[in-house]
Amino acid sequence: MKLLYNGRMSLGSQDLQSSKVYRLAGMADATGKPLQKLTGATERFSALLEQEGYAAIDTPVVEETELFVRKSGGELTSRLYTLVDPGGHRVSLRPEFTPSVIRHYIQERAGFNGPVRFRYSGPVFRYEQHGVGAYRQFTQAGAELIGAAGAQADAEALSIAWEGLRSIGVTGFGIRIGNIGVLQELIGGFGLSEAGRLFIISNIQAIKTGQTTLSKLTEQAARVGLLRAGLKITVDDSAAYIDGDSTRDFIEGVLGEAMSSPTGRRTPEQIVDRLLRKVREASQPGNLESALALIDQLARIDGAPGAAIDRAGVVLKSHGIDASPLDDLSALANDLRKRGIDDACLTLDFGLARGISYYTGMIFEVEHPQAAAGASLGGGGRYDGLVRALGGEDVPALGFALTMDNVVDLLK
């Protein structure tokens, strides 16, 4: 009897063979010793977190897509498994735990007092086109600390990641640390628009690795409308950074006579608002180029914390920039030393960037010389704006997660 499989006709045993359903690419079945290693390592790490006061939480595997795209950035959102459920809702498999934990915190906010600590573990899903050792489903185990600011909280997260890996039995690893917040503060003095600052921060890795040049970035910024070199407003640039009422009075004083009669469909107040927005949102080409030149030098600095901070201080001095933002990095390094983490195990990298855009301060990656190329062992950082972005109050927060599948690969 002839049967139809996948749109073609076939016969007998060939029919049965072609009807097999195979495991999806990028997915893995776990059995035997590999499964025992994964389960045992996850349990040891979870026990350490519990000892440090982190409460267990489990969140849904499927959430509204909006939760994962609102603040995560294009790199992560382009890898979502997204579908429309039978009820017509656009939902996604979780690519990480952090947004779900923050969503829970916002929903249950009334029941929390002071800093809140959560621990979790479970599968996450990210579509990968390529990648050695990268699975599309893998296990994350991590922690979130919500409601704590400052270098001490940063050091807590880093030291727990450090101790967690040791508790699992991993040796010979290091931690690479960066700080998006310090870079934002340093280029903040150039008077760039928020979009201009984000443009620079998002290109740090490309600058560091030489994948682009400063002239190409300047051209790109002009092409996407970040520069307003042709905007002829006879207002001193400082007007963009003084208080709004003073700037408004100045513009109305200069243009008051010209705006005494109706202009198109806009009222004089609307015209002033538009001019104010233009002044504030525009980045002058010279300022962008100066900020890029600074970041170009800083992004190439990495090494032991003390030496890297000294080199960054020299760069800032050559640009006439106050080096006090580096104090946060020194405070973090000192705190980590007090917690028993030697400088030799740390790399301070001014060009470090992670693929998720909600980070606002310290960020870090775990690295190991025997890890497969492109296989992340884990990392995390501070994301002070995420609680507010997802509908909560302005609450500082940070967290990290280990990629357990890659971590246990290092165990003998």
Side-chain angles (χ1 to χ4, degrees):
M1 185 175 73
K2 294 183 178 180
L3 298 174
L4 180 64
Y5 291 102
N6 297 326
R8 65 182 176 81
M9 303 298 288
S10 56
L11 297 172
S13 61
Q14 292 180 337
D15 297 334
L16 297 175
Q17 192 171 12
S18 62
S19 67
K20 288 182 179 176
V21 178
Y22 292 91
R23 187 178 61 236
L24 290 172
M27 304 293 182
D29 299 316
T31 60
K33 287 186 178 179
L35 179 59
Q36 291 174 8
K37 285 173 63 177
L38 179 63
T39 302
T42 304
E43 289 176 350
R44 287 195 293 278
F45 181 47
S46 181
L48 173 75
L49 289 170
E50 182 179 13
Q51 183 181 323
E52 296 293 334
Y54 285 75
I57 184 173
D58 193 13
T59 62
V61 172
V62 178
E63 299 256 22
E64 284 191 31
T65 299
E66 175 65 17
L67 177 67
F68 301 122
V69 304
R70 187 173 294 181
K71 199 67 177 178
S72 296
E75 184 172 333
L76 183 63
T77 57
S78 65
R79 296 155 66 187
L80 286 176
Y81 280 86
T82 299
L83 64 144
V84 177
D85 72 12
H89 303 102
R90 192 162 178 260
V91 298
S92 296
L93 299 179
R94 67 183 175 211
E96 58 164 341
F97 279 84
T98 300
S100 297
V101 174
I102 296 303
R103 189 260 308 139
H104 170 81
Y105 171 81
I106 294 168
Q107 284 186 289
E108 307 298 332
R109 177 74 176 90
F112 299 130
N113 292 313
V116 181
R117 292 170 170 82
F118 287 115
R119 72 178 192 275
Y120 52 80
S121 63
V124 297
F125 305 84
R126 297 181 189 181
Y127 188 83
E128 298 280 357
Q129 288 285 359
H130 305 288
V132 177
Y135 291 108
R136 293 171 179 171
Q137 175 185 332
F138 53 95
T139 300
Q140 275 194 343
E144 309 296 335
L145 172 52
I146 307 167
Q152 203 167 16
D154 292 352
E156 176 178 324
L158 280 162
S159 64
I160 289 178
W162 175 269
E163 291 299 334
L165 286 161
R166 284 159 55 96
S167 73
I168 292 169
V170 179
T171 58
F173 63 91
I175 295 183
R176 184 171 292 267
I177 304 170
N179 197 306
I180 298 295
V182 167
L183 296 178
Q184 287 268 22
E185 188 174 352
L186 290 174
I187 62 176
F190 289 91
L192 304 179
S193 65
E194 181 180 359
R197 294 195 300 273
L198 290 175
F199 174 77
I200 292 176
I201 296 297
S202 65
N203 280 287
I204 282 181
Q205 200 69 31
I207 294 172
K208 180 182 180 69
T209 58
Q211 295 175 0
T212 187
T213 64
L214 302 190
S215 60
K216 287 182 179 177
L217 286 175
T218 304
E219 291 172 5
Q220 184 182 350
R223 194 164 57 248
V224 300
L226 291 177
L227 301 180
R228 292 289 187 271
L231 187 64
K232 303 298 185 184
I233 297 177
T234 55
V235 180
D236 188 88
D237 288 347
S238 61
Y241 311 106
I242 61 178
D243 70 89
D245 289 342
S246 299
T247 308
R248 178 181 296 278
D249 291 345
F250 176 77
I251 292 177
E252 288 179 346
V254 172
L255 303 180
E257 195 169 319
M259 295 191 304
S260 59
S261 57
T263 305
R265 290 180 297 176
R266 295 192 177 95
T267 66
E269 291 76 16
Q270 289 173 325
I271 293 172
V272 171
D273 286 341
R274 182 177 172 82
L275 285 170
L276 281 169
R277 191 169 63 252
K278 285 285 187 184
V279 170
R280 288 184 174 123
E281 291 181 352
S283 291
Q284 296 298 320
N287 293 348
L288 183 77
E289 290 167 0
S290 297
L292 281 171
L294 172 66
I295 292 299
D296 181 50
Q297 289 181 274
L298 289 177
R300 300 174 194 279
I301 296 175
D302 62 19
I309 291 171
D310 288 346
R311 289 171 60 194
V314 171
V315 170
L316 295 181
K317 186 176 181 179
S318 71
H319 285 261
I321 295 174
D322 176 24
S324 59
L326 301 179
D327 293 345
D328 286 346
L329 300 175
S330 298
L332 176 61
N334 289 334
D335 204 325
L336 291 174
R337 289 187 201 105
K338 292 176 183 175
R339 294 170 185 262
I341 303 177
D342 192 86
D343 275 8
C345 304
L346 303 174
T347 300
L348 180 56
D349 185 348
F350 283 85
L352 180 64
R354 305 199 78 223
I356 300 175
S357 63
Y358 55 59
Y359 289 118
T360 58
M362 180 275 298
I363 54 175
F364 71 94
E365 292 274 1
V366 179
E367 53 188 14
H368 194 288
Q370 295 176 11
S376 171
L377 299 178
R382 176 167 290 283
Y383 49 84
D384 286 348
L386 187 59
V387 176
R388 185 174 57 183
L390 294 179
E393 299 173 353
D394 199 3
V395 178
L398 72 162
F400 72 94
L402 300 180
T403 306
M404 299 305 296
D405 310 75
N406 294 334
V407 168
V408 297
D409 281 347
L410 297 172
L411 301 178
K412 296 179 180 177

